[in-house]
């Protein structure tokens, strides 16, 4: 009697978990609610790999419950008992085989996507990509727009439907730059400039954060990524240009000091500031992903 | 004078936090309590002779287990403090600094000072018994390993009240862990605490490889060896390859911090990436080091409580060896998002996934051990059955994480936190719990209470699912690890609340287990059979607890599950307990050198942390002196007389003529 109670409790628990995973407000699952092509493909890949693994997992879970239930020791049971049965080549081939097949499938999918989603690979688009240079500071994000000549802190705006080429570096301990709804993150590291292409297909304000721990107030490194129409973007750039102070070299040094920051706008920044930040740490290095090496963009004519 | 003392004390001791003052008081009170109890009952001599200087693998194992339970308590309190801070948005319970210290110590303590010693404890008490051996290959080294672990752990724990805890995460990535960003002594406590205990771990690895390969009972070929011993062997091989990497990595970090080196700083030509590669070359095998023995435990328990031979023995052994080799080829999956490029990411993604194959095979083999068995659900088996779905789900999320381009979204999020807690708690901690419940009667001579044990099992499991399932969801909601606070606008409140409730339930489960132990001691029913579970391997053929020389007569092994086969033969009247001539047994003598030498190591570490060479240099001289003294010690062994063996066996209820 006791054993059956155990099994009943187990199956109850399992159903409870399933219930738990399937309820809740769907809007909150921002990783599964992407608004750009990169996030979209990553979501597809997450779902595909989940389904493939479920092919193995679900039968195993069912098998577990069936076996535990059927072969529990109790009075007058009819199930077979074979205490010395310890080998079956056929069965062994089956369960070495099935995982090998599933893993091969996931492996093939993964390798293909690893190449096609390589973060420094330009996105196919009719529009020319916009470049935004991101610097991780203690404990704030600095965004520079080399083409527009403006800079911001803890706020980034860009036009929708346009590939954004984020160049990411760090002037502090390494962090990771992440806008979940647009696509995966990339590390911000001193002495190298990493490239991450993202794009927003819809207008909207998206949450961005620092995903790698950098010390005391790292939890305050949230920022807003705002995708707007091209006109709104141009207007915003003009507004920043006309109404905000310029970022000077001293002002930058001030920013690098430890501390959190509100959203700030700058109408200009020192020429080559980003390159200076990268090279001051990279005097003796030349990483493959440095800004100087620009892969040819696949812009459709 | 007074002013300078005050200034020193305010820097030396951690001040300003009521939680820490509370801890200070309780530490002082418990030290006073321990000292006075020992003095009152005149137990100092007993403590020194019987425990502190012992080289008996069973006693060393018990000390490991005791230390790890204490560390589980401390790491668990850390976890509850963190969950309390995250229970709702904009919580003001802990400051950012304090939170960072707590998650760092939680990680280090749980992996290195809880899981590792619990594992070593089980190695120590069980492996020689399973092999039919009198002791491990190097008993003195074994004692030294324990005391090095212990002094490293104490050093690390001290940082909490003296000098300040490390706060750079459990793997201390530079540049954040370098002097420029992390000037206090906390990070040096991290380096030396782990370094000293790491030497002990490496020596344990060597010791058990030699033990398993060289001191098995006559007739026990490798392919007749119990599965737990196989898992220990594969885990120890990984230890021997992985721990030297850790030692060197931490030494280089120390050189950076103490001598102004530039191994991991960009100025001066170093590179933090090198550290990240090195630490994961140790860190990834490390998780397999702790999980492999748990696989061994499941295999023993499944066979015993299904009353059936382990299914697919050879394929189990093969799978374990593949896992321990593959574990060295996957480290870069911890940083898919650091710009290694598609070639590297593709390689490491695929090698990572491959591990799922042998692991999955093991699960199938456990299932088919139960298939056509007679399963009973005593606590050890209950844990084992409960672990299967849990571990399978954890393994599945592991495969999901290994899909490199998708990992760009999972990385550093709570999805990852949920995954590794699921494999480490469900796989490792629950596995070791199963082992503890299983071997408890062999270690202490009485069973734990089944009813309270069931309570603990259910509380742990329900608490676990409540705590970590919401964290998968939080990861998909974009919550990143290690943040100490978040806003109401994020929508993370409900899931965090549930998660904290789950953590509290797990805390309660731990207390129930302690109650289980206390209750079982009080209402102890001595196990007189030596084999309360009707088990299959050699450790159950001798009295419980095992006499200090383990086997009065060396067993002669003829088959797998030798004890089970022997019981069958006796039952069928094919074999009668043979008359044997007892012979004097060769045993190692106790030694005070391991504990003294480890104390000197403690001084070396403490001195270097605070840059007090007046303490570090004599400490180091002490270490060398201990080595010299031991190398001139020729009086290290003795013989147990036949009379004493007879007397001991008779006391355990066995008469051997």
């Amino acid at each position: 009697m006791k054993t059956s109670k155990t099994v009943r409790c187990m199956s109850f628990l399992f159903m409870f978990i399933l219930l738990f995973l399937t309820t809740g407000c769907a809007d909150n699952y921002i990783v599964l609610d992407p608004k750009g092509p990169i996030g979209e493909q990553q979501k597809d890949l997450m779902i595909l790999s989940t389904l493939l693994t479920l092919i193995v997992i679900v039968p195993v879970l069912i098998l577990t419950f069936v076996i535990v239930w059927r072969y529990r020791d109790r009075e007058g049971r009819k199930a077979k008992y074979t205490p010395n049965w310890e080998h079956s080549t056929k069965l062994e081939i089956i369960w070495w085989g099935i995982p090998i097949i599933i893993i091969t499938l996931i492996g093939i999918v993964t390798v293909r996507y690893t190449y096609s989603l390589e973060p420094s690979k330009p996105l196919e688009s009719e529009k020319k990509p916009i470049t935004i240079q991101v610097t991780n500071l203690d404990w704030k994000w600095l965004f520079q727009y080399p083409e527009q000549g403006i800079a911001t802190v803890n706020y980034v705006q860009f036009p929708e439907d346009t590939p954004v080429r984020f160049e990411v570096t760090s002037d502090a301990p390494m962090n990771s730059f992440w806008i979940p709804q647009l696509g995966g993150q990339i590390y911000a590291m001193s002495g190298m400039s990493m490239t991450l292409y993202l794009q927003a297909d819809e207008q909207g304000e998206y949450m961005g954060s620092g995903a790698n721990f950098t010390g005391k107030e790292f939890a305050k490194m949230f920022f807003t990524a705002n995708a707007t129409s091209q006109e709104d973007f141009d207007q915003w750039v003009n507004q920043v240009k006309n109404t905000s102070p310029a970022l000077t070299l001293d002002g930058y040094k001030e920013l690098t000091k430890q501390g959190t920051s509100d959203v700030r706008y700058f109408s200009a920044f020192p020429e080559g500031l980003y390159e200076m930040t990268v090279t001051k740490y990279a005097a003796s290095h030349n990483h493959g992903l440095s800004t100087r090496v620009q892969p040819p963009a696949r812009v459709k004519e | 004078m007074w002013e300078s003392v005050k200034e020193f004390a305010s820097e030396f001791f951690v001040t300003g936090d009521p939680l820490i003052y509370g801890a200070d008081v309780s530490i002082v009170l418990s030290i006073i309590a321990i000292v006075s109890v020992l003095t009152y009952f005149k137990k100092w001599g007993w403590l020194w002779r019987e425990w502190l200087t012992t080289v008996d693998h069973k006693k060393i194992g018990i000390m490991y287990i005791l230390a790890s339970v204490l560390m589980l308590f401390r790491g668990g309190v850390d976890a509850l403090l963190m969950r309390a801070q995250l229970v709702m948005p904009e919580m003001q319970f802990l400051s950012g600094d304090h939170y960072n210290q707590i998650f760092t110590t939680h990680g280090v303590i749980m992996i290195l000072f809880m899981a590792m010693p619990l594992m070593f404890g089980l190695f120590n008490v069980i492996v020689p018994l399973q092999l039919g051996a009198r002791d491990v290959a190097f008993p003195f080294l074994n004692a030294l390993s324990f005391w090095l672990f212990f002094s490293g752990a104490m050093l690390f724990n001290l940082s909490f009240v003296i000098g300040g805890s490390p706060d750079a995460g459990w793997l201390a990535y530079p540049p954040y862990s370098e002097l420029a960003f992390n000037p206090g002594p906390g990070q040096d406590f991290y380096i030396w605490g782990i370094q000293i205990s790491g030497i002990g771990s490496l020596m344990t690895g060597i010791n058990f490889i030699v033990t398993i390969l060289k001191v098995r009972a006559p007739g026990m070929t490798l392919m007749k060896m119990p599965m737990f011993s196989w898992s220990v062997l594969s885990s120890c091989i990984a230890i021997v390859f992985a721990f030297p990497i850790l030692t060197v990595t931490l030494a280089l970090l120390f050189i950076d911090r103490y001598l102004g080196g530039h191994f991991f700083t960009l100025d001066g030509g170093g590179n933090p990436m090198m550290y990240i590669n090195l630490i994961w070359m140790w860190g990834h095998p490390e998780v397999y080091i702790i999980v492999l023995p748990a696989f061994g435990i499941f295999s023993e328990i499944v066979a015993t409580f299904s009353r059936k031979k382990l299914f697919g023995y050879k394929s189990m052994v093969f799978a374990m060896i593949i896992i321990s080799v593959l574990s060295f080829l996957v480290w870069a999956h911890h940083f898919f998002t650091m710009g290694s490029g598609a070639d590297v990411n593709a390689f490491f993604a695929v090698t990572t996934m491959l591990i799922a194959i042998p692991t999955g095979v093991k699960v199938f083999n456990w299932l088919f051990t139960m298939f056509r068995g007679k399963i009973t659900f005593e606590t050890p088996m209950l844990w084992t059955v409960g672990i299967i779905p849990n571990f399978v789900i954890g393994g599945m999320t592991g495969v999901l994480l290994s899909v490199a381009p998708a990992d760009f979204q999972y990385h550093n999020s709570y999805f990852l936190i949920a995954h590794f807690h699921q494999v480490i708690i469900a796989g490792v901690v629950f596995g070791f719990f199963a082992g503890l419940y299983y071997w408890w009667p062999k270690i202490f001579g009485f069973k734990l209470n089944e009813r309270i044990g069931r309570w603990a099992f259910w509380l742990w499991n329900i608490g676990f699912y409540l705590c970590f399932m919401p964290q998968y969801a939080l990861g998909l909601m974009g919550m990143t690890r290690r943040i100490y606070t978040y806003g109401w606008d994020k929508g993370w409140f409900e899931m965090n609340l549930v998660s904290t409730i789950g953590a509290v339930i797990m805390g309660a489960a731990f207390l129930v287990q302690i109650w289980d132990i206390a209750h079982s001691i009080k209402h102890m029913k001595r196990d007189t059979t030596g084999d309360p579970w009707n088990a299959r391997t050699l450790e159950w053929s001798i009295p419980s607890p095992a006499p200090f020389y383990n086997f009065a007569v060396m067993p002669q092994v003829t088959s797998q599950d030798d004890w089970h086969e022997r019981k069958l033969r006796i039952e069928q009247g094919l074999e009668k307990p043979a008359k044997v001539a007892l012979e004097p047994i060769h045993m190692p003598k106790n030694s005070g050198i391991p504990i003294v030498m480890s104390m000197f190591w403690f001084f070396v570490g403490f001195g270097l942390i605070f840059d007090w060479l007046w303490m570090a240099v004599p400490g180091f001289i002490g270490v060398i002196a201990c080595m010299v003294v031991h190398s001139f010690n020729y009086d290290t062994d003795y013989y147990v007389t036949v009379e004493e063996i007879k007397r001991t066996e008779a006391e355990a209820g066995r008469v051997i003529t």
Side-chain angles (χ1 to χ4, degrees), chain B residues 305-545:
Chain B
F305 294 96
S306 304
R307 314 264 152 246
K308 199 161 157 278
K309 218 167 179 174
L310 184 68
F311 189 83
Y313 179 94
K314 280 183 189 154
S315 127
M316 289 283 227
V317 170
F318 185 57
M320 261 181 325
I321 301 219
I322 296 184
I323 294 172
S324 72
V325 173
L326 276 182
S327 72
F328 283 89
L329 298 175
V330 302
W331 77 87
H333 70 212
H334 295 273
F335 39 95
F336 282 145
T337 60
M338 283 189 191
S340 340
D343 296 337
V344 173
N345 280 1
F347 174 81
F348 282 98
V350 170
T351 49
T352 305
M353 291 169 189
L354 288 180
I355 291 193
I357 299 169
T359 315
V361 166
K362 298 190 79 70
V363 174
F364 280 118
N365 281 343
W366 295 325
L367 287 180
F368 276 78
T369 306
M370 293 193 267
F371 180 73
R372 292 189 189 160
K374 272 188 194 165
I375 311 170
T376 53
F377 296 93
E378 287 91 339
T379 34
M381 186 60 174
L382 196 57
W383 280 99
T384 305
V385 171
I387 285 154
I388 291 177
N390 210 339
F391 190 72
V392 164
I393 298 169
M396 167 186 165
T397 54
V399 174
L400 298 186
L401 281 163
S402 74
V403 178
D407 181 64
F408 279 71
Q409 289 282 32
Y410 298 126
H411 186 78
N412 274 346
S413 79
Y414 262 73
F415 191 92
L416 166 82
I417 306 296
H419 158 70
F420 77 70
H421 280 91
Q422 188 154 24
V423 280
I424 289 183
I425 295 182
V428 178
V429 182
F430 288 2
F432 293 169
F433 282 168
L436 262 188
Y437 280 98
Y438 181 56
W439 282 307
W440 189 275
K442 184 48 61 190
I443 305 173
F444 296 104
F446 61 94
K447 270 193 196 177
L448 288 174
N449 184 294
E450 282 282 318
R451 195 173 47 85
I452 309 175
R454 271 165 207 280
W455 269 98
F457 168 81
W458 285 109
L459 284 174
W460 265 113
N461 276 274
I462 292 168
F464 176 86
Y465 284 105
L466 278 181
C467 185
F468 292 104
M469 292 300 134
Q471 295 190 5
Y472 283 117
L474 282 169
L476 297 176
M477 293 178 184
M479 181 162 164
T480 48
R481 70 195 295 196
R482 292 171 176 172
I483 55 171
Y484 77 98
T485 188
Y486 54 93
W488 284 99
D489 55 326
K490 300 284 189 298
W492 299 338
F493 166 57
E494 294 84 358
M495 290 294 178
N496 272 302
L497 178 67
V498 176
S499 181
T500 301
I501 294 170
V504 172
I505 296 177
M506 283 199 277
F510 176 77
L511 295 180
V512 171
Q513 279 181 312
I514 299 297
W515 176 40
D516 191 3
I517 294 171
H519 183 273
S520 307
I521 291 175
K522 200 175 160 205
H523 304 278
M524 187 191 301
K525 254 182 34 202
R526 281 253 152 238
D527 165 42
T528 50
T529 60
D531 184 15
W533 309 118
N534 190 14
R536 312 173 73 85
T537 41
L538 275 184
E539 72 268 29
W540 304 101
S541 66
I542 50 174
S544 308

Side-chain angles (χ1 to χ4, degrees), chain B residues 67-108:
Chain B
S68 83
V69 171
L70 284 177
M71 290 293 106
L72 177 60
F73 175 74
R74 157 128 206 231
V77 171
D78 282 346
L80 287 174
L81 290 174
M82 282 190 282
R83 282 316 320 169
Q85 167 65 23
L86 292 176
V87 68
M88 57 181 249
E90 281 152 27
M91 190 75 179
Q92 303 282 338
F93 175 56
L94 298 171
S95 68
D97 271 338
H98 199 173
Y99 186 85
N100 299 342
Q101 296 180 355
I102 288 178
F103 77 66
T104 303
T105 46
H106 169 76
V108 174

Side-chain angles (χ1 to χ4, degrees), chain B residues 133-409:
Chain B
R134 293 250 155 80
D135 207 325
V136 293
F138 310 113
F140 175 88
L141 193 71
N142 198 22
L144 186 58
S145 299
F146 170 75
W147 288 110
L148 282 174
F149 146 72
F150 191 76
S151 61
M154 288 304 108
L155 194 61
F156 184 83
N157 274 280
L158 218 54
S159 67
F160 157 54
V161 286
I162 293 176
S165 302
D167 66 351
W170 82 282
L171 287 180
Y173 278 9
Y176 185 65
S177 59
E178 290 277 358
L179 209 52
F181 299 103
N182 217 319
Q187 207 49 51
D188 299 303
F189 268 113
Y190 170 93
I191 292 172
W192 283 101
I194 296 178
Q195 195 69 296
I196 291 172
S197 70
I199 303 170
S201 304
L202 179 58
M203 296 192 316
T204 305
I206 296 170
N207 208 341
F208 278 86
I209 290 180
V210 180
T211 305
I212 291 169
L213 293 181
K214 298 302 275 185
V215 292
R216 298 191 305 277
M220 185 186 280
T221 58
L222 278 177
M223 277 315 198
K224 285 184 186 135
M225 197 161 75
M227 196 47 69
F228 179 62
S229 294
W230 259 114
S231 71
V232 173
L233 181 62
S234 52
S235 162
C236 285
I237 290 172
I239 289 179
V240 168
F241 283 100
F243 269 77
I245 307 176
L246 175 70
T247 308
V248 171
T249 312
L250 291 177
L252 295 180
L253 183 62
F254 184 70
I255 290 172
D256 271 13
R257 291 177 60 87
Y258 191 74
L259 300 173
H262 292 284
F263 289 108
F264 307 129
T265 60
L266 282 168
D267 49 327
N271 192 340
M273 222 37 235
M274 185 160 80
Y275 181 94
I276 294 167
N277 273 293
L278 284 171
I279 199 82
W280 280 118
M281 281 180 204
W282 160 76
H284 197 85
E286 168 66 13
V287 298
Y288 288 93
I289 286 168
I290 53 180
V291 84
L292 282 168
F295 291 169
I297 293 170
F298 299 149
S299 305
E300 300 286 345
I301 293 176
V302 158
T304 299
F305 294 96
S306 304
R307 314 264 152 246
K308 199 161 157 278
K309 218 167 179 174
L310 184 68
F311 189 83
Y313 179 94
K314 280 183 189 154
S315 127
M316 289 283 227
V317 170
F318 185 57
M320 261 181 325
I321 301 219
I322 296 184
I323 294 172
S324 72
V325 173
L326 276 182
S327 72
F328 283 89
L329 298 175
V330 302
W331 77 87
H333 70 212
H334 295 273
F335 39 95
F336 282 145
T337 60
M338 283 189 191
S340 340
D343 296 337
V344 173
N345 280 1
F347 174 81
F348 282 98
V350 170
T351 49
T352 305
M353 291 169 189
L354 288 180
I355 291 193
I357 299 169
T359 315
V361 166
K362 298 190 79 70
V363 174
F364 280 118
N365 281 343
W366 295 325
L367 287 180
F368 276 78
T369 306
M370 293 193 267
F371 180 73
R372 292 189 189 160
K374 272 188 194 165
I375 311 170
T376 53
F377 296 93
E378 287 91 339
T379 34
M381 186 60 174
L382 196 57
W383 280 99
T384 305
V385 171
I387 285 154
I388 291 177
N390 210 339
F391 190 72
V392 164
I393 298 169
M396 167 186 165
T397 54
V399 174
L400 298 186
L401 281 163
S402 74
V403 178
D407 181 64
F408 279 71
Q409 289 282 32

